[in-house]
């Protein structure tokens, strides 16, 4: 057994363990090793350590310690610098910073920083008992291995890339064969201006005091420039500037289709999850929101069918807010009936969202402890409302959301305009007083948010200027997509509230060679909720292991 195991993985005893061999690694000869303990040790070893390995004695592995730095690591420049490898359970990570032009049309002008995190499977350590000895094993991580690169583009816009805490889900599956690059970014996956990339936060944006200058600055943070950043990073990071695989979730998928349109030579293959954007030039933001509102109505109907008791509870909250003229929020903003409807942005379109909303509504009111005391909405409920919105930490989402649909035309607060024609369904006060279900809204940004959400107030003028901007450059090249040669596989979620199914299918018909997986097994958050299943299915489709339908 021990000879076989030594052939499968290098045996490395830590110096401290070797020095204490007699005292620490030897068990009393008279003490038999319990079979259950031996079996557990073997399972740990066969399973690669897993979460339990974090509690074991970790031996030094070849990729760690004072190894010789690679040529790439020595070639740090003003345009690219990197940190040292570090680890979380079962993953090795390294940070990269790239200095890129704010405007690629003027490369000698202003610069910004874009942050990327490199992720590989890390060292695995385990132990087993053979006879009277405890033997430590360590399998080197993949830090020094030659692996193909996969760029992950996050959803958004305006949300940073995932912060790995362990090897799990889609990331673990991807790291089995790829060197994964997570860019900060947006939940538009990675977007410049989020996370550790020159961060556009509520406080940092206050440095630009002119609304005109702020609007002009923000126009450089759409998908076209994200693709420019990706190409800059690929050339500086990937050996020989080889093409890489791109995984685009939600808005990250929009960015990946822009990538296919304008820089396909940088792509080996593309995986899309809930991220096929509307690409026709004549498909305006109005068309998008009109289609999205139809799905939002459907999701509301499903919610109240699941929780019919919430009709009365939510009606009571809406009437209370209406009669009070709004209720102050902990951060200084104001909760109004139309603000309450925005809970649908998170609740109606993601896994477990219905349940989370229901349990939040359950705790809306403070208990009456003294007879005759007035009724109040609870601090718990008001704080939970603000935590769901996240506009205070990710303002780019509010500022740029409608612009992601704009090509040569202004949005002119499109969602607000379309909602205005649906007041019979979306007037919260009228619905509450008539005893009808109050419908929540979806992934929409409205101009009044910049009055009611305290942290957005100083950005209102810039947001209005962006909504009137007409000269947005094209984001897609339909001709190039018609002639696409890059392998593409896409998961299309039938009941996706954020990316309309019909518009996605229209786009798919224009991308040559695309392979579709159409499913209602997952909602928009399928990549996160499905573990390795979604990415495994898409890779299987491209490699012939899954049906192509």
């Amino acid at each position: 057994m021990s000879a076989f195991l030594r052939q499968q993985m290098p045996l490395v005893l830590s110096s401290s363990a070797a020095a204490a061999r007699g005292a620490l690694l030897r068990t009393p000869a008279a003490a038999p090793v319990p079979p259950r303990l031996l079996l557990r040790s073997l399972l740990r070893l066969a399973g690669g350590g897993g979460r339990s390995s974090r509690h074991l004695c970790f031996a030094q592995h070849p990729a760690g310690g004072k190894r010789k730095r690679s040529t790439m690591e020595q070639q740090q420049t003003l345009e690219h610098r990197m940190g040292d490898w570090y680890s979380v359970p079962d993953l090795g990570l390294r940070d990269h910073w790239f200095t890129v032009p704010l405007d690629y049309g003027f490369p000698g002008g202003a610069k910004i920083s874009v942050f990327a995190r490199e992720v590989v499977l890390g060292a695995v350590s385990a132990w087993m008992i053979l006879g009277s000895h405890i033997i430590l094993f360590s399998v080197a991580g993949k830090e020094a291995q030659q692996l193909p690169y996969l760029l992950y583009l996050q959803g958004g816009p305006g949300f940073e890339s995932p912060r790995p805490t362990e090897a799990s889900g889609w990331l673990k599956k991807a790291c089995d064969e790829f060197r994964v690059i997570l860019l900060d970014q947006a939940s538009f996956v990675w977007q410049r201006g989020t996370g550790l990339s020159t961060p556009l936060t509520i406080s940092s944006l206050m440095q630009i005091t002119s609304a005109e200058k702020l609007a002009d600055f923000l126009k450089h943070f759409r998908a076209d420039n994200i693709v420019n950043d990706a190409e800059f990073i690929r050339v500086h990071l990937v050996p020989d500037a080889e093409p890489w695989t791109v995984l685009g979730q939600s808005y990250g998928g929009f960015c990946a289709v822009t990538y296919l349109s304008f820089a396909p030579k940088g792509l080996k293959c593309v995986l899309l999850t809930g991220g096929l954007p509307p690409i026709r030039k004549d498909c305006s933001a109005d068309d998008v929101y009109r289609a999205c509102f139809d799905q939002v109505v459907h999701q509301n109907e499903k919610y109240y069918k699941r929780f019919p008791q919430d009709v009365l509870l939510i009606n009571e909250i809406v009437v209370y807010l209406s009669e009070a003229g709004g209720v102050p929020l902990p951060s200084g903003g104001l909760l109004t009936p139309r603000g309450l409807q925005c809970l649908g942005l998170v609740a109606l379109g993601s896994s477990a969202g219905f349940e989370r909303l229901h349990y939040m509504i359950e705790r809306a009111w403070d208990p009456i402890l003294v007879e005759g005391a007035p009724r109040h909405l609870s601090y718990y409920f008001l704080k939970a409302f603000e935590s769901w919105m996240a506009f205070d930490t990710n303002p780019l989402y509010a500022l740029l959301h409608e612009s992601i649909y704009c090509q040569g035309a202004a949005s002119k607060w499109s969602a607000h305009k379309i909602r205005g024609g649906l007041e019979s369904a979306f007037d919260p006060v009228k619905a509450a007083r008539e005893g009808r279900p109050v419908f929540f809204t979806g992934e929409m940004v409205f101009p009044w948010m910049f009055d009611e959400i305290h942290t957005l107030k100083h950005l209102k003028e810039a947001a209005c200027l962006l909504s009137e901007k007409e000269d947005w450059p094209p984001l897609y090249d339909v001709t190039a997509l018609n002639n696409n040669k890059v392998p593409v596989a896409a998961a299309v979620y039938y009941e996706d509230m954020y990316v309309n199914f019909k518009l996605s299918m229209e786009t798919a018909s224009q991308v040559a060679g695309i392979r579709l997986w159409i499913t209602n097994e997952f909602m928009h958050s399928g990549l996160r909720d499905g573990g390795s299943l979604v990415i495994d299915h898409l890779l299987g489709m491209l490699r012939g292991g899954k049906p192509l339908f």
Side-chain angles (χ1 to χ4, degrees), residues 292-298 300 337-338 341 348 418-431 436-442 444 446:
C292 287
F293 266 110
D294 288 343
Q295 186 62 36
V296 169
V297 170
H298 179 59
N300 273 284
R338 61 189 180 185
Q341 289 176 288
L348 297 186
I418 300 302
R419 174 183 168 152
L422 300 171
E423 278 303 294
S424 59
F426 285 91
D427 183 331
V429 178
K430 189 172 188 292
R436 295 186 286 109
V438 171
F439 279 4
F440 295 95
T441 51
M444 294 111 182
F446 305 103

Side-chain angles (χ1 to χ4, degrees), residues 7-76:
Q7 291 173 5
Q8 303 303 310
M9 59 190 68
L11 170 61
V12 184
L13 291 177
S14 67
S15 58
S16 58
R21 185 184 186 96
L24 297 178
L25 297 184
R26 187 176 300 277
T27 58
V33 179
R36 190 178 299 274
L37 180 58
L38 178 58
L39 176 61
R40 188 181 304 127
S41 302
L42 290 170
L43 288 175
R44 280 199 183 102
L45 185 60
R51 294 177 63 93
S52 60
S53 65
R54 74 184 72 180
H55 302 299
L56 304 179
C57 178
F58 279 70
Q60 186 69 36
H61 60 83
K66 297 182 179 180
R67 64 181 176 85
K68 184 178 180 180
R69 294 176 68 86
S70 68
T71 302
M72 187 180 74
E73 290 173 305
Q74 295 171 14
Q75 293 176 343
Q76 301 205 43

Side-chain angles (χ1 to χ4, degrees), residues 12 32 73 91 125 153 180 211 221 242 308 345 403 451 472:
V12 184
E73 290 173 305
L91 292 176
S125 297
L153 298 177
V180 177
F221 290 81
E242 288 289 326
L345 189 157
S403 77
D451 296 314
W472 293 107

Side-chain angles (χ1 to χ4, degrees), residues 481-524:
L481 295 173
N482 290 164
N483 295 286
N484 172 59
K485 304 297 182 185
V486 178
V488 181
V492 182
Y493 306 124
Y494 187 74
E495 293 192 323
D496 196 324
M497 189 186 77
Y498 303 99
V499 180
N500 183 260
F501 174 76
K502 292 180 180 179
L503 294 179
S504 293
M505 294 303 292
E506 182 181 287
T507 294
S509 70
Q510 299 296 313
V511 182
I514 191 171
R515 293 159 171 84
L516 298 180
W517 175 34
I518 300 170
T519 179
N520 65 353
E521 183 178 356
F522 299 105
M523 299 182 74
H524 187 72

Side-chain angles (χ1 to χ4, degrees), residues 10 14 17 47 159 179-180 197 255 261 263 321 330 336 340 358 370 382 450 462 477 489 496-497 513 524:
S14 67
F159 293 87
R179 189 175 293 272
V180 177
S197 298
C255 297
S261 296
L321 292 172
T336 64
L340 180 75
H358 170 70
V370 178
L382 299 175
F450 292 83
D477 185 334
D496 196 324
M497 189 186 77
H524 187 72

Side-chain angles (χ1 to χ4, degrees), residues 7 59 190 233 249 367 371-372 383 396 441 445 498 514 536 540:
Q7 291 173 5
W190 68 279
I233 291 168
Q249 157 65 16
E371 185 177 355
K383 184 67 175 177
L396 275 186
T441 51
V445 175
Y498 303 99
I514 191 171
D536 187 53

